[in-house]
Amino acid sequence: MIALVLALGSSLAYGAADFLGGLGARKAHVLRTVMWAAPASLVVELLLWPLLGASFTPASLGWGAASGVASAGAFLLLYRTLAIGPMNVLSPVTALVSAMLPVAVGLAQGERLGAAGLVGLPLALGAVVLVSAGPGARSARPSRKALLLAFGAGAAIALQLVFLHQAPDDSGVAPLIAGRTVASALTLAAAGLLHRRLGEERPAYALSVAAGALDSVANLLFLLAARSGDLAVVAVIAALYPAGTVLLARRVLGERLQRGQLAGLGVAAAAVVLLALA
């Protein structure tokens, strides 16, 4: 149950972070958004260091650095994806892709689910698909470029989560700090090299920083959940974050919430209950 609650918290934080990041990326070049979001995430993790501890072993640093490379790619691809829109289609596509690889890794490493889990797992994946059944299914179809970006973002997120899960359980927040340091360095280096192509638009500083801080909280909750539960279950619960993104898009941007999306939220609730029983 602890792992389930942590995973749900991670899902909510990811959803809010993605909404704010995607919204911020609509106001300026995506790199201008990420170059503020990534360092903001690092600051949050450094503040958590005295509270949660950190063991900087070669394993924690190595896996953390690998997650940082994937995280930098995820930041850029995801925020660019959500900036193109529509959020209520592309966010669930990204989430579905991001869930599949961790589930496969968890099962390959010997995780076993009971009967409730075997039903709840595909239900949760189905819920991600149903949440995408908004107006974009007919009137605001995403472009091929947007779909490719969504698949790429999902793959990058999946690799980030898998790499974090491989870090030693007693490493504290060391993998997160190492990962975000690498991600920040890569992002700032890319911004420096491409500064002439970034345009003159100023980024939405508050949105960018808030997105980065929430993403850091989401990563922490995921890491704690994965350490106390099965990766296959935790990854699928975390992948339900499009529900938060879609609801925020509905509230702030006026994107319509369709019956399929409401059904998806109901299916997601049922899946969570079944996974809790597992």
Side-chain angles (χ1 to χ4, degrees), residues 122-132 240 263-265 267-269 271:
L123 267 184
L125 294 174
V128 173
V129 177
L130 284 173
V131 173
S132 70
L240 293 173
L265 295 176
V267 173

Coordinates of all heavy atoms in Angstrom, one line a residue, residues 122-132 240 263-265 267-269 271:
P122 N -3.3 -4.7 -17.2 CA -3.8 -4.3 -18.5 C -5.0 -3.3 -18.4 O -5.1 -2.5 -19.3 CB -4.3 -5.6 -19.1 CG -4.5 -6.6 -18.0 CD -3.5 -6.2 -17.0
L123 N -5.7 -3.3 -17.3 CA -6.8 -2.3 -17.1 C -6.1 -0.9 -17.0 O -6.7 0.0 -17.5 CB -7.6 -2.6 -15.8 CG -8.8 -3.5 -16.0 CD1 -9.5 -3.6 -14.6 CD2 -9.8 -2.9 -17.0
A124 N -5.0 -0.8 -16.3 CA -4.4 0.4 -16.1 C -3.8 1.0 -17.4 O -3.9 2.1 -17.8 CB -3.2 0.3 -15.1
L125 N -3.2 0.0 -18.2 CA -2.8 0.4 -19.5 C -3.9 0.9 -20.4 O -3.8 1.8 -21.2 CB -2.0 -0.7 -20.2 CG -0.7 -1.1 -19.5 CD1 -0.1 -2.3 -20.1 CD2 0.3 0.0 -19.6
G126 N -5.1 0.1 -20.3 CA -6.2 0.5 -21.1 C -6.8 1.9 -20.7 O -7.3 2.6 -21.5
A127 N -6.7 2.2 -19.4 CA -7.1 3.5 -18.9 C -6.4 4.6 -19.5 O -6.9 5.7 -19.8 CB -7.0 3.5 -17.4
V128 N -5.0 4.4 -19.7 CA -4.2 5.4 -20.3 C -4.7 5.7 -21.7 O -4.8 6.8 -22.2 CB -2.7 5.0 -20.3 CG1 -1.9 6.0 -21.2 CG2 -2.2 4.9 -18.9
V129 N -5.1 4.6 -22.4 CA -5.6 4.8 -23.8 C -6.9 5.5 -23.8 O -7.2 6.4 -24.6 CB -5.7 3.4 -24.5 CG1 -6.3 3.6 -25.9 CG2 -4.4 2.8 -24.6
L130 N -7.8 5.1 -22.9 CA -9.2 5.7 -22.8 C -9.1 7.2 -22.5 O -9.9 8.0 -23.0 CB -10.0 5.0 -21.8 CG -10.6 3.7 -22.2 CD1 -11.3 3.0 -21.0 CD2 -11.6 3.8 -23.4
V131 N -8.2 7.6 -21.7 CA -8.1 9.0 -21.3 C -7.7 9.9 -22.5 O -8.0 11.0 -22.6 CB -7.0 9.2 -20.2 CG1 -6.7 10.7 -20.0 CG2 -7.4 8.6 -18.9
S132 N -7.2 9.2 -23.6 CA -6.9 10.0 -24.8 C -8.1 10.2 -25.7 O -8.0 10.8 -26.8 CB -5.8 9.2 -25.6 OG -6.3 8.0 -26.1
L240 N -0.3 6.7 -15.1 CA -1.6 7.3 -15.2 C -1.6 8.8 -15.1 O -2.7 9.4 -15.0 CB -2.5 6.7 -14.0 CG -2.8 5.2 -14.1 CD1 -3.5 4.8 -12.8 CD2 -3.7 4.9 -15.3
A263 N -14.6 7.7 -18.8 CA -14.6 6.3 -18.6 C -13.2 5.8 -18.3 O -13.0 4.9 -17.4 CB -15.0 5.6 -19.9
G264 N -12.2 6.5 -18.9 CA -10.8 6.1 -18.6 C -10.4 6.4 -17.2 O -9.7 5.6 -16.5
L265 N -10.9 7.5 -16.6 CA -10.7 7.8 -15.2 C -11.3 6.7 -14.3 O -10.7 6.3 -13.3 CB -11.3 9.2 -14.9 CG -10.6 10.4 -15.5 CD1 -11.3 11.7 -15.2 CD2 -9.1 10.5 -15.2
V267 N -11.9 3.5 -15.2 CA -11.1 2.3 -15.3 C -9.8 2.4 -14.6 O -9.4 1.5 -14.0 CB -10.9 2.1 -16.8 CG1 -9.9 0.9 -17.0 CG2 -12.2 1.8 -17.6
A268 N -9.2 3.6 -14.6 CA -8.0 3.8 -13.8 C -8.2 3.6 -12.3 O -7.4 2.9 -11.7 CB -7.5 5.2 -14.0
A269 N -9.3 4.1 -11.8 CA -9.7 3.8 -10.4 C -9.8 2.4 -10.1 O -9.3 1.9 -9.1 CB -10.9 4.6 -10.0
A271 N -8.5 -0.1 -11.7 CA -7.2 -0.7 -11.9 C -6.3 -0.5 -10.6 O -5.6 -1.4 -10.2 CB -6.4 -0.2 -13.1

